Structures are given as structure tokens and as C-alpha cells.
């Protein structure tokens, strides 16, 4: 598929008009501040540029959604079906697990309407109960199990350990909770046959098996994100392998030299594949199933992994991205706006310090025009636009409102996690964290203890703001979600019936 810069031209045009207006209405005040108090003036300019970057991200979210529904929807045409050759390609399904084996998911994924395929369990588990469960499953279903002596390189090292010397034409990546449809392999091969430059085909996903209240409440975002954002990125941005539910050609794997040994191995691999002339495409008509994190703690752990992975990606790939001759300018911008946003929480903290501490201490008189608050607040909720539009006709509006408000609090409460994970990755090593698949009921006291870092952070931030600005308003949107974190944890914790259902499922798998 030929990519187009049309969407990003519109995004930049809208942003330039809005930010240009901000520059015009603040130019006089900024000029006076820089002349009279150079340091305060420069800090005010840094603040304005930070707001401009935030606006650019917000405009991207709004126009991504608008572009899909107004321009793309109804015009997306999956590749046509093709007949298999007399000698169908050799396909291997690689199932990655580390103490989170799900027999039901793997058994369901293995029911492929394709003959030349075999399954391999890449097992990094170290808990006896999972080792036993996997051995029993392998013996029952005639599945190969590959274990390694060391666990170097996280998931990437696990994949490379097997794939580097294996005999296959294509491989399918399955996460522990992944369920792919029976025609997955057949349909993916249609995409590869349509264009020899394709190295990765990524399927879409929906969230299923939502047993806990946390999953039932917040998994709606999975169903809306995949078809909209990935379809748009497929045509107008940089589409990446998203870790699971995808097929990769051996040619692309060999050209890239395997998966980079990094936490965000999927994103790094996609970039390496692209640099060697292969592309990643999206298959919107192939729908896989995944599980949303079971509770708040599991969600926070996954969020930390994503943040660390993206920060590691920034440290090691920024220069190659900017100097790449394979990537178009709008693909580079797409990578920056999507990948850099999560770990840049640490940079946003500098923005908070400047406006809540430094400028008030300097008694700076510069103030932004009141009208700038309108787009800033609007773009704050911009990430929710796609969810609202997608689910508007699918669910009760009161439920949608509850989901939207809850999601803003949930993701807002992740600020401290993002900050801590960003700094950890920036000055240390990123760590691949496995998202827990089990949940336990907790008391409110335990919830307070589990979120004490968030609560202390919110309290300190509120006090600092009161001391220097005599108001909590400048940091209200950071303090409130953090203070709500214990409630989110307890309110959406699993009930006894939900815990029993999950435990019953594990017993059935073991049997």
C-alpha cells in the first residue's frame, strides 16, 4: 500500500494556525518579559513551546478519529483471497510464555484451517506449576517446547533463541492470552502474496474473556483503538508490529538480524525491518482476541513496561529515525507523536516545576491569554474522542460517560508511574515486566498501601503549589487522579464469584 502525507499535512496546517494565533497574542508580553527579566522570559517561552507540543498531540488524536470516520471508513478494502500454491509455505506458531501459560488460549489458536503449520511453546517460566502444566499440554497436543538456560533479552531473546536456526517461511507470534481465528494463517498469507515488500502483517484485536469488573469497565478502549488508529497509521503514519497477533516472514526476520534485545522489541523490530526495505501492513478483517489487565495493579505494571520500553527506544533510536532515508517525514513525525508521548512525562515535570515553582518565585508577571485554556482543556480529553465516537451507538450513553470519566482518572493516575519509569529507564536499564494474569481481593487499607507513592506524590505536589501559587488549581489534574487511585483499585477489584471463575479456569487448564 502506498502511504500518503495528506493527513499530517492537515494536522500541521491546523496546528500552525492555532499555535500561530497563540504566538501573535503572546508576542508583546513575551518580548517585554524577555527584555525586563530574561530568565523568566525564556522560561515563559519554554512553557509556550511545551503547550504547542501538547496541542499538536491533541490535534493528532482528534484528526485521527475524524479522518477515519469522514475519509476512510467504508473505503478500506482488504486484499482479495488467493488460492494456495501446491506447496504451501511452512508456518510456525511461536507461543511466548513466562509463568502465565494459558492452555485454553493456545488450544483455541491451534485450530487452524491450514496444514503446513506446527506450534512451538517458547517457555521462559521458572515456577514448577507452570513447567508441569506446559509439559502436560505439550505431551497431550504433540507440541514442541523450547526452553533456554538463560533469559537474556526478555521476550526478544526468547524469540531469537528459537527462530534464528529454525526451518520455516513465516512465523506467527502468540502471547499467552492470545486467541487467533481459524483462518488466521490462510488470510495472512493472502496479504503477503499481494506485495513482496511486506515483511509483517498485523491483525486487529478485541478484548474478550472480561471476567473482572476492572476488565469489564476499561476494556472498551481496546475494541475502539485497534480498527481506527491502526487503519489510519497503515495509510498515513508508521505502522508497527504490536507484539502479538501478527505474522512475520523469515526474509524480514533475517534481514533485520532478529529482534533487538530491548523491552519494546516489537517497535524496534518494525523499525529495523523497515530500514531493510520491508513494510508492515494492517489486516483489519482478521480479528484476534486478547485479555485486558485483570485489575489496577496489573494495568499499572503493564503501563510501566510500556513507558520503560518507549524511553529505551527513544534513547537508542532517535538519531537513526531522524537520519533514516527509508522513513518518510510524516512517518517520523508519527513515531514521535505516538511513541515519545508516554515517556516524556519526565519532561512535562520540568514544565510543572517552571510554572508552579520557578516563575512564582521570580514574581514573573507574564500570563497566558485566557482563550488558550479552551484548546488546552479540549486536547486534554482528545484521547477519549475515538472511544466516544466508536461506542456512541453501541452502548448506553450513561455507561459511556462513566467509562470516559473513569478512564481519564485511570490514565491520569498513571502519571507518577510514567515519571518513575521514565527516570528509571533514562538513567538505568529498562526491564521487561510480565503483566500479571491473576488478581486477588484487597481491602481499602491495602489499596492505600499499594498506592502510597502516588498519594505522597500528589500530597507533596499540592503543598508545593499552595506554597508558591496559593492554589492547587495549577496541579489539580495531576493531584486528583492520583488521590483517586485507591478508590479505583478497590471499586473495580474482583468479586468472590469472579475470583472463583478465574480459579476454576486455571484448574480446568491444569487438568
Amino acid at each position: 500500500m502506498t502511504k500518503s502525507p495528506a493527513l499530517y499535512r492537515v494536522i500541521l496546517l491546523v496546528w500552525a494556525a492555532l499555535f500561530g494565533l497563540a504566538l501573535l497574542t503572546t508576542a508583546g508580553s513575551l518580548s517585554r518579559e524577555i527584555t525586563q527579566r530574561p530568565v523568566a522570559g525564556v522560561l515563559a517561552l519554554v512553557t509556550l513551546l511545551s503547550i504547542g507540543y501538547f496541542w499538536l498531540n491533541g490535534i493528532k488524536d482528534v484528526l485521527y478519529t475524524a479522518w477515519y470516520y469522514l475519509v476512510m471508513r467504508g473505503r478500506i478494502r482488504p486484499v482479495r483471497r488467493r488460492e494456495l500454491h501446491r506447496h504451501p509455505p511452512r508456518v510456525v506458531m511461536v507461543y511466548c510464555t513466562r509463568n502465565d501459560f494459558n492452555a485454553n488460549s493456545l488450544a483455541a489458536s491451534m485450530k487452524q484451517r491450514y496444514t503446513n503449520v506446527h506450534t512451538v511453546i517458547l517457555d521462559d517460566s521458572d515456577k514448577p506449576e507452570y513447567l508441569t502444566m506446559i509439559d502436560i499440554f505439550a505431551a497431550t497436543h504433540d507440541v514442541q517446547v523450547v526452553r533456554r538456560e538463560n533469559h537474556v533479552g526478555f521476550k526478544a531473546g526468547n524469540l531469537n533463541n528459537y527462530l534464528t536456526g529454525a526451518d520455516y517461511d513465516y512465523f506467527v507470534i502468540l502471547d499467552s492470552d492470545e486467541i487467533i481465528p481459524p483462518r488466521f494463517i490462510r488470510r495472512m498469507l493472502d496479504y503477503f502474496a499481494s506485495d513482496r515488500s511486506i515483511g509483517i502483517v498485523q491483525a486487529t484485536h478485541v478484548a474478550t474473556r472480561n471476567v473482572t469488573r476492572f476488565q469489564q469497565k476499561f476494556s472498551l478502549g481496546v475494541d475502539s483503538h485497534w480498527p481506527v488508529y491502526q487503519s489510519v497509521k497503515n495509510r498515513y503514519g508508521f505502522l508497527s508490529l504490536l507484539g502479538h497477533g501478527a505474522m512475520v516472514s523469515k526474509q524480514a526476520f533475517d534481514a533485520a538480524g532478529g529482534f533487538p534485545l530491548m523491552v519494546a522489541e516489537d517497535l524496534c523490530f518494525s523499525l529495523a525491518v523497515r530500514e531493510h526495505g520491508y513494510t508492515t501492513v494492517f489486516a483489519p478483517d482478521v480479528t484476534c482476541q486478547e485479555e485486558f489487565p485483570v485489575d489496577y495493579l496489573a494495568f499499572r505494571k503493564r503501563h510501566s513496561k510500556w513507558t520503560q520500553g518507549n524511553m529505551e527506544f527513544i534513547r537508542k533510536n532517535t538519531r537513526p529515525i531522524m537520519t533514516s532515508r527509508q522513513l518518510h517525514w510524516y512517518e517520523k513525525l508519527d513515531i514521535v507523536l505516538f511513541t515519545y508521548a508516554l515517556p516524556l512525562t519526565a519532561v512535562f515535570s520540568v514544565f510543572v516545576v517552571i510554572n508552579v515553582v520557578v516563575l512564582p518565585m521570580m514574581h514573573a508577571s507574564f500570563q497566558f491569554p485566557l482563550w488558550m485554556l479552551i484548546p488546552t482543556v479540549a486536547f486534554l480529553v482528545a484521547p477519549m474522542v475515538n472511544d466516544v465516537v466508536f461506542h456512541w451507538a453501541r452502548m448506553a450513553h450513561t455507561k459511556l460517560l462513566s467509562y470516559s470519566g473513569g478512564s481519564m482518572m485511570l490514565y491520569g493516575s498513571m502519571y507518577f508511574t510514567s515519571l518513575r519509569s521514565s527516570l528509571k529507564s533514562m538513567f538505568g536499564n529498562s526491564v521487561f515486566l510480565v503483566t500479571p494474569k491473576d488478581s486477588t481481593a484487597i481491602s481499602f487499607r491495602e489499596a492505600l498501601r499499594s498506592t502510597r507513592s502516588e498519594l505522597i506524590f500528589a500530597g507533596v505536589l499540592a503543598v508545593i503549589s499552595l506554597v508558591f501559587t496559593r492554589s492547587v488549581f495549577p496541579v489539580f489534574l495531576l493531584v486528583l487522579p492520583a488521590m483517586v487511585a485507591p478508590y479505583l483499585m478497590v471499586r473495580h477489584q474482583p468479586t468472590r464469584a469472579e475470583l472463583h471463575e478465574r480459579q476454576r479456569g486455571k484448574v480446568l487448564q491444569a487438568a
Side-chain angles (χ1 to χ4, degrees), residues 177-215:
D177 59 354
E178 181 85 16
I179 298 179
I180 61 176
R183 295 188 62 85
F184 180 93
I185 294 175
R186 288 290 302 267
R187 195 71 186 106
M188 290 302 201
L189 289 174
D190 291 338
Y191 280 84
F192 282 106
S194 69
D195 188 340
R196 292 184 179 181
S197 69
I198 294 176
I200 304 170
V201 182
Q202 174 67 62
T204 190
H205 285 73
V206 293
T208 59
R209 295 153 289 166
N210 299 315
V211 177
T212 69
R213 283 184 289 184
F214 187 85
Q215 292 174 316

Side-chain angles (χ1 to χ4, degrees), residues 439-454:
S439 181
T440 57
I442 60 173
S443 66
F444 190 72
R445 178 179 294 181
E446 291 172 322
L448 289 174
R449 185 163 57 248
S450 297
T451 58
R452 61 183 178 275
S453 297
E454 285 84 353

Side-chain angles (χ1 to χ4, degrees), residues 321-340:
I321 289 171
M322 297 307 152
T323 58
S324 172
R325 294 184 178 182
Q326 288 285 346
L327 294 170
H328 299 295
W329 66 268
Y330 51 91
E331 291 179 279
K332 296 178 182 180
L333 181 56
D334 192 68
I335 293 174
V336 169
L337 293 182
F338 277 96
T339 309
Y340 287 42

Side-chain angles (χ1 to χ4, degrees), residues 42 52 80 93 117 162 181 207 226 323 342 367 397 446 457 498:
V42 170
R80 65 181 179 85
M93 297 198 302
V117 56
Y162 170 74
W226 279 87
T323 58
L342 198 60
Q367 291 184 338
H397 295 168
E446 291 172 322
F457 169 78
E498 292 166 353

